[in-house]
């Protein structure tokens, strides 16, 4: 899995939705996050931070941000972005399922497009709960793009074909092979009801879906 994401880092930011491109998009994110989170500055842990889209955003908002990712190559790009923007972010290499942090050490845990990449999402959610303070919050930004229906399969096949033609540089598309997917229980995205069950099982309360 680490090798896949190191390879994907080559063109990761060139693909739609992987980074925040415009000032309008950034402002929209900040407005929503300000409505969602308590006043700061907060100690925020961005798990699976990738090239730093969310970590950079939170740092700009004045929070104390730590990012962790399995891929060192992804974090190299995130570190370069932080330096270019004169932002302070602690970036560590590590596993989203076994975090190298103390119990009750974070105000907020945030993940974006991560749950589906984990072989054991239930173990991961339990560890996220461990590192949060009693009044802490977890913010999961995710979705389901393949529900294994015929319509989804057709859309994915067409999309993949178009990407191979018009985006030959797209290493992200080519990295999702069948070998990796066999060890991921939710390779097409974790359904909302299953995510909520994971959260409730480890003790999260006051769940809000948007």
């Amino acid at each position: 899995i680490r090798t896949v994401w190191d390879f994907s880092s080559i063109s990761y930011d060139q693909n739609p939705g992987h980074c925040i491109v415009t000032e309008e998009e950034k402002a929209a994110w900040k407005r929503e996050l300000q409505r969602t989170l308590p006043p700061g500055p907060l100690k925020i842990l961005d798990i699976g931070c990738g090239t730093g889209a969310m970590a950079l955003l939170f740092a700009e908002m004045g929070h104390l941000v730590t990012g962790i990712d399995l891929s060192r190559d992804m974090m190299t790009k995130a570190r370069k972005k932080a330096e270019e923007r004169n932002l302070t972010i602690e970036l560590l290499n590590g596993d989203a399922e076994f975090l190298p942090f103390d119990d009750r050490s974070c105000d907020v845990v945030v993940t974006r497009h991560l749950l589906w990449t984990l072989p054991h999402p239930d173990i991961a959610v339990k560890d996220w709960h461990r590192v949060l303070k009693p009044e802490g919050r977890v913010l999961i930004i995710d979705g389901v793009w393949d529900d294994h229906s015929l319509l989804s399969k057709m859309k994915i096949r067409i999309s993949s074909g178009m990407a191979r033609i018009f985006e030959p540089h797209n290493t992200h598309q080519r990295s999702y092979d069948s070998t990796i997917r066999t060890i991921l229980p939710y390779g097409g995205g974790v359904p909302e009801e299953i995510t909520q069950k994971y959260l409730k099982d480890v003790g999260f309360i006051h769940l809000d879906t948007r």
Side-chain angles (χ1 to χ4, degrees):
I1 292 177
R2 180 186 292 110
T3 301
V4 165
W5 288 104
D6 281 342
F7 180 65
S8 183
S9 71
I10 297 169
S11 64
Y12 185 83
D13 285 341
Q14 299 175 34
N15 297 287
H18 286 177
C19 57
I20 299 170
V21 180
T22 67
E23 290 301 316
E24 291 80 6
E25 184 182 2
K26 183 186 294 184
W29 271 106
K30 288 182 178 179
R31 285 194 301 271
E32 184 60 32
L33 291 170
Q34 286 167 349
R35 286 195 292 265
T36 302
L37 300 178
L42 302 168
K43 291 187 68 175
I44 295 181
L45 175 59
D46 182 4
I47 303 176
C49 64
T51 60
M54 298 306 295
L56 293 164
L57 190 65
F58 282 117
E60 285 187 8
M61 295 171 68
H63 298 297
L64 307 174
V65 184
T66 298
I68 185 169
D69 201 280
L70 194 65
S71 167
R72 288 185 174 85
D73 289 352
M74 286 281 191
M75 286 192 302
T76 296
K77 292 182 177 293
R79 192 171 288 111
K80 182 179 179 181
K81 290 181 187 179
E83 291 172 355
E84 290 172 348
R85 302 179 195 185
N86 198 29
L87 295 171
T88 301
I89 301 172
E90 184 179 16
L91 293 168
L92 304 172
N93 183 243
D95 190 338
E97 296 181 358
F98 302 98
L99 300 172
F101 302 106
D102 293 336
D103 296 358
R104 302 184 175 190
S105 57
C106 304
D107 295 303
V108 177
V109 161
V110 60
T111 73
R112 181 170 182 252
H113 304 168
L114 174 69
L115 266 180
W116 76 269
T117 72
L118 304 177
H120 312 100
D122 54 336
I123 292 176
V125 170
K126 183 177 181 180
D127 211 38
W128 303 351
H129 185 271
R130 176 186 65 79
V131 301
L132 277 172
K133 296 177 181 178
E135 300 299 321
R137 301 186 185 186
V138 61
L139 176 60
I140 298 174
I141 304 164
D142 230 307
V144 175
W145 55 93
D146 181 7
D147 58 4
H148 304 294
S149 68
L150 179 59
L151 180 59
S152 291
K153 290 178 180 178
M154 291 176 62
K155 288 180 178 179
I156 292 169
R157 188 180 296 271
I158 293 171
S159 174
S160 298
M162 297 289 282
R164 283 193 292 271
I165 296 171
F166 296 105
E167 298 178 3
H169 63 277
N170 190 341
T171 59
H172 184 67
Q173 282 282 346
R174 294 195 296 273
S175 67
Y176 293 86
D177 60 36
S178 57
T179 304
I180 293 296
R181 290 188 181 277
T182 57
I183 65 172
L184 304 179
Y186 301 104
V190 185
E192 181 181 315
E193 61 273 14
I194 293 177
T195 300
Q196 288 200 29
K197 184 179 185 306
Y198 286 149
L199 294 170
K200 291 177 181 176
D201 285 349
V202 300
F204 282 106
I205 57 176
H206 307 309
L207 302 184
D208 180 22
T209 59
R210 301 184 184 184

